[in-house]
Amino acid sequence: MSRFHVGGKVVDTVDLLRRRHWAWRLDLWPFAVLYGLWPLAVVPSLDFGDASIVLGCIGASHILVFLFTGWSVDFKCFVQYSKVKDIHHADACKITPTKFSGSKEVVTLHFHKLAASSASVDMEEIYFDFRKQRFIYSNGKNTFSKLPYPSKETIGYYLKNTGYGTEAKVLAATDKWGRNVFEYPQPTFQKLMKEQCMEPFFVFQVFCVGLWCLDEYWYYSLFTLFMLFMFESTMAKSRLKTLTELRRVKVDSQILMVYRCGKWVKLSGTELLPGDVVSIGRSTGTSGEDKSVPADMLILAGSAIVNEAILTGESTPQWKVSVMGRGMDERLSARRDKAHVLFGGTKILQHTADKTFHLKAPDGGCLAVVLRTGFETSQGKLMRTILFSTERVTANSWESGLFILFLVVFALIAAGYVLKKGLEDPTRSRYKLLLSCSLIITSVIPPELPMELSIAVNTSLIALARLGIYCTEPFRIPFAGKVDMCCFDKTGTLTSDDMEFSGVGGLTDSEDLITEMSNVSDRTLEILASCHALVFVDNKLVGDPLEKAALKGIEWTYKSDEKATPKKGGGNPVQIVQRHHFASYLKRMAVVVRVQEQFFSFVKGAPETIQERLVDVPASYVKTYKKHTRQGSRVLALAYKSLPDMTVSEARSLERDMVESDLTFAGFAVFNCPIRGDSASVLSELKSSSHDLVMITGDQALTACHVAGQVNIISKPALILGHVKSNEGYEWVSPDESHIVTYRENEVEALSEVHDLCIGGDCIEMLEQTSAILKVIPYVKVFARVAPEQKELIITTFRSVGRVTLMCGDGTNDVGALKQAHVGVALLNAVPPTQKDKSASEASSKNEIAKSDKSKKSKSNIENGENTSKSRAISKLEPTGNQAANRHLTAAEIQRKKLKKLMNELNEEGDGRSAPVVKLGDASMASPFTAKHASVAPTTDIIRQGRSTLVTTLQMFKILGLNCLATAYVLSVMYLDGVKLGDVQATISGVFTAAFFLFISHASPLPTLSAERPHPNIFCYYVFLSLLGQFAVHIFFLISSVKEAEKYMPDECIEPDAAFHPNLVNTVSYMVGMMLQVATFAVNYMGHPFNKSISENRPFLYALSAAVVFFVVIASDLFRDLNDWLKLVPLPKSLRNKLLIWAFLAFLVCYTWERLLRWAFPGKMPAWRKKQRQVTAIDKKKNL
């Protein structure tokens, strides 16, 4: 079997290969034969000139084959390797990654002898390394799979683990997993430059330059070559900078206590192995900086408070607890058990040891077992994402390939015409004829294409970075322009993190809230005061804003000894004995407490979850909580049960299920969750700019519908899918329960026309069982009570029916959905930059404030609410402080400061053509886009930049297409008539083209989104009709002008292969070409409604005006010396006037045609319903 299907997240397929002997390689022996035949067969039969052309062709083909082995992995495999069926005969393999995971690679296959435990047999391991991950061949599965780490074993396995017992085991593990380091070689500038210069486009461009030189265009060739090398070296420099930045991230080499060979030994963090039992706690370096956790590890005993901001951007410290309370046979799940895992790269702020565990840590740390090391840790994964997505940025690569193919067809026709005519004339030089044919074909592929596409995307990257939005996968920016559906998480995204405690309900027959806490029972207050995960770090109370709001609302205090006491009144203090932390799949949390020597279990959670665990459910239970959720409040049910007398250690070891069953109801805690100030306006702007909006939340359905109504997600009457109370089945019910519709999967589409639909997580399970996912989910507006995996399923369903999705959420529980969406935006709760002035320096200084603020926050763990107000105060004070300081500086110092600042900016941002460097603190492992904002406004910024990039790319293709078609015509038909360009003329026209393209790609988007959508693809009626219409006008203008010029010079005979010398036809054709070039840019520039118009894009306006003035000056012959330098002859007055009038008319016709097409073919919402029906039909067939 020569091909293995791996089907992982990174590798799709693996092909087995064997390297050919050098003599049998297809890039050597066929050419050796050809070189041998040339002196024997070719030289005797042809004259030497033609024989040299043949030799040149053989040499060029050989170079091309050699280069192709560098460009195409498939071609390299065909030439240098042979396929094999038996893995033991292979010595390399071709890796095909999954979609959007980069390009194919050939890697070495390793055969490694493993020393088995019994001395008699030696085991052999076959593996390959691909992008810092190891894949091992499994005989049983007959395929490759990722090197397994002990991260999915049972809880019992971990608790019994006592580390490595013998040195032999340590050596075997080191052999298997390697050291715990981030190792990748630092490439040199020369190596990167060589890579850049081996790129197909670069080689092609150099080849074109060579052809121009052969045709004696020296200035033009050297100008192009200089530009190319400048561009490639800046690209190499920027890549080097990114890689150097990444190399700074190291595993902290702190010394840890590790349990090996039955005793505790001191080891560096880089020596850790998966399966090691370690003692870990808060440790600081020499500079007082907290050291980070060296690997992913599972806590066996003890607990820790961890700052995970570097991975998730979540500023609230996370509580990590021991895995001891869990069932021994449960398997560890990476998603579900996050509360027990310390992730590599995060920082421990505080830890508590557990003295009762059978292994005792000598240094009082938490006991943990190492799960993953090196590039397999969470930090390693983020590093891999950044490392392997720093490839060269392009937009719509396959489309650009097809578009060039379309242009090549025209070029081949033109070249064929020249060849046919040239061969009819026996006196023409074959060399010159071949040269002109090569020039025609190469002229169609614009040398600046990859440069322009990169600039368009990089401009957007830089603009977003200035707004505090960072991107790790640049190819997604054009996707942002195609987005037609925006999905939002609710809590912390649309609504604020700052909760307000409203009161307690459900304790009396009345549905109203009790807001006066003296009227609430002591038990209820005790639950609110102690059933939480708040904690003291550096004498500050940190944790969930909702729990802090409850503590503040009931006026109790919570101390660092885990005791809650009332501020006033005679309530009893509550001592927390054991916590069972909140888990999203359980939707509840519990604590075991002691009040006056008696033990209780206090539980809080989602009302519907707690309802199932109550001994006695009050009659108005459902009615009360639904009333408050309908008003958009967050409702938590509180319950308790008294426990029998026992010791503290017995209370700690109680099973979670026992603690959370047979409960007594103690009321509902109701919280008001204010909507962020700009949520409604941002979502309203998205809705009016042709986007569908969806809410995906873990909150209750009624709350979600209320908030969705306030932020413009739903505008029609809402219906919520739920169980029929009397029998098995489902029905749609309005929030006030006045309107009921029976659920039928085939009627969902019709129902969505008049109602906005909402479904819960339990209904999604039902849809999965009945295979109705594709029929229902695409029409739903609000998804409530969904688990993180279900969020992912919702996004993939939208994608499968042809929607281009944007998902906006926070970086913690939305990771899967953010990764699955075309555009995932993780919001980090930092300071929103004030939008007063968007000048570059201001923006970058704001970024600095935001960054420094972020680091301050992660160190001192100030809560989000307090922090924002402080930072705003800081940012208000900042400018005035600077002004005061500047008064004392001399003019020279001010100038020097300005210059230094400018230099720093240039160093930070390169030359505006290289993408900004993404640092680890800026990117979140959650998603391709990370925004340092506490609002959903970045979604509009990303979509605006995406649309701008998409439109810029589209107009570039159109302009390049028109220029190339015109060039092909000029070089073929007119070349045969002897019309040529002078060297200086070609250079001037090249300078103008480069300037125009540069200024077009720097067009900035308009501040508001338009209802009109951009065209998502190059291949559409609008582009083709526009190209053909304008091309027809251009050709007609060219032919007419040249014919007119020929009337004034009828006697002169022009030799096609003669050297260039100025004449009237040459002059006219150059002027017309120049005019068409200017007109093409002016007509096809896409301004409103996406980008700034020509008049607002000042640099482009100035360049256009300069070109028009230049054209008028050379046409009217104002400066004779200039025209002599450009080798232009004087025009007769009547011809000059005709040219100027015709030029104006040609521009007018093209402009009118372009505007007419834009009106006739506007960008539309994609026809996803048709795709949805097709996909549903296919799915139905599969299930049959």
Side-chain angles (χ1 to χ4, degrees), residues 559-578:
K559 294 282 189 303
S560 53
D561 58 358
E562 301 202 331
K563 189 180 277 189
T565 47
K567 283 183 183 172
K568 52 190 179 191
N572 296 313
V574 181
Q575 177 70 54
I576 298 173
V577 176
Q578 174 71 355

Side-chain angles (χ1 to χ4, degrees), residues 373-402:
T373 54
F375 276 100
E376 281 302 313
T377 62
S378 301
Q379 187 180 15
K381 275 182 195 159
L382 179 56
M383 301 263 301
R384 282 206 316 262
T385 306
I386 298 174
L387 195 63
F388 297 112
S389 62
T390 52
E391 294 161 23
R392 179 176 257 186
V393 181
T394 56
N396 300 351
S397 47
W398 67 270
E399 285 192 332
S400 53
L402 282 176

Side-chain angles (χ1 to χ4, degrees), residues 223-288:
F223 165 71
T224 312
L225 201 62
F226 172 72
M227 229 170 66
L228 284 178
F229 271 104
M230 282 301 291
F231 179 70
E232 294 303 337
S233 56
T234 52
M235 290 293 283
K237 183 178 158 233
S238 96
R239 280 184 63 195
L240 192 67
K241 196 171 164 191
T242 309
L243 295 167
T244 313
E245 184 67 42
L246 275 175
R247 274 184 68 92
R248 286 188 196 156
V249 181
K250 290 189 173 75
V251 171
D252 259 345
S253 57
Q254 54 173 316
I255 301 297
L256 295 169
M257 295 300 286
V258 183
Y259 195 71
R260 281 198 185 162
C261 307
K263 61 180 187 291
W264 288 98
V265 289
K266 284 185 177 179
L267 283 179
S268 161
T270 53
E271 302 300 322
L272 291 183
L273 294 165
D276 261 331
V277 172
V278 298
S279 165
I280 188 154
R282 182 177 187 174
S283 64
T284 47
T286 46
S287 58

Side-chain angles (χ1 to χ4, degrees), residues 253-402:
S253 57
Q254 54 173 316
I255 301 297
L256 295 169
M257 295 300 286
V258 183
Y259 195 71
R260 281 198 185 162
C261 307
K263 61 180 187 291
W264 288 98
V265 289
K266 284 185 177 179
L267 283 179
S268 161
T270 53
E271 302 300 322
L272 291 183
L273 294 165
D276 261 331
V277 172
V278 298
S279 165
I280 188 154
R282 182 177 187 174
S283 64
T284 47
T286 46
S287 58
E289 176 79 5
D290 280 333
K291 292 258 190 170
S292 54
V293 179
D296 287 2
M297 41 185 85
L298 177 73
I299 301 183
L300 301 178
S303 63
I305 316 297
V306 183
N307 173 14
E308 292 188 344
I310 193 161
L311 294 185
T312 62
E314 178 60 52
S315 57
T316 309
Q318 304 296 304
W319 193 312
K320 302 288 180 175
V321 291
S322 156
V323 80
M324 272 165 74
R326 302 293 299 277
M328 297 294 265
D329 297 330
E330 283 182 59
R331 283 204 173 272
L332 188 69
S333 153
R335 279 208 183 126
R336 193 188 61 203
D337 299 322
K338 278 191 298 197
H340 307 300
V341 179
L342 294 171
F343 293 108
T346 59
K347 291 183 176 166
I348 296 179
L349 305 171
Q350 190 171 300
H351 72 276
T352 316
D354 181 354
K355 307 274 191 325
T356 60
F357 196 67
H358 64 88
L359 257 182
K360 302 281 185 293
D363 57 354
C366 297
L367 277 176
V369 59
V370 178
L371 299 176
R372 291 176 291 264
T373 54
F375 276 100
E376 281 302 313
T377 62
S378 301
Q379 187 180 15
K381 275 182 195 159
L382 179 56
M383 301 263 301
R384 282 206 316 262
T385 306
I386 298 174
L387 195 63
F388 297 112
S389 62
T390 52
E391 294 161 23
R392 179 176 257 186
V393 181
T394 56
N396 300 351
S397 47
W398 67 270
E399 285 192 332
S400 53
L402 282 176

Side-chain angles (χ1 to χ4, degrees), residues 774-845:
L774 288 164
K775 287 184 182 174
V776 179
I777 283 185
Y779 299 101
V780 175
K781 281 288 175 81
V782 178
F783 297 89
R785 281 277 184 261
V786 286
E789 306 79 78
Q790 290 175 325
K791 287 187 180 184
E792 208 171 322
L793 173 74
I794 292 162
I795 298 290
T796 47
T797 306
F798 282 135
R799 283 187 68 159
S800 63
V801 299
R803 307 301 303 253
V804 181
T805 53
L806 174 143
M807 171 76 196
C808 179
D810 57 32
T812 42
N813 55 357
D814 301 328
V815 179
L818 291 167
K819 282 279 189 197
Q820 283 298 334
H822 291 96
V823 179
V825 186
L827 299 181
L828 309 192
N829 299 327
V831 193
T834 47
Q835 303 271 323
K836 284 175 194 163
D837 175 37
K838 286 199 178 171
S839 72
S841 59
E842 178 102 334
S844 62
S845 69

Side-chain angles (χ1 to χ4, degrees), residues 218 431 452 524 591 600 652 963 1012:
W218 295 104
Y431 162 71
E452 306 308 345
T524 305
V591 289
F600 290 94
R652 283 201 171 126
N963 283 352
E1012 198 179 317

Side-chain angles (χ1 to χ4, degrees), residues 2-33:
S2 62
R3 170 169 287 192
F4 300 106
H5 287 275
V6 178
K9 284 185 180 173
V10 182
V11 177
D12 186 30
T13 58
V14 176
D15 293 290
L16 296 179
L17 304 170
R18 183 175 182 80
R19 188 180 285 278
R20 296 176 195 266
H21 185 272
W22 66 268
W24 296 113
R25 277 171 40 171
L26 297 179
D27 54 353
L28 291 177
W29 71 261
F31 290 99
V33 172

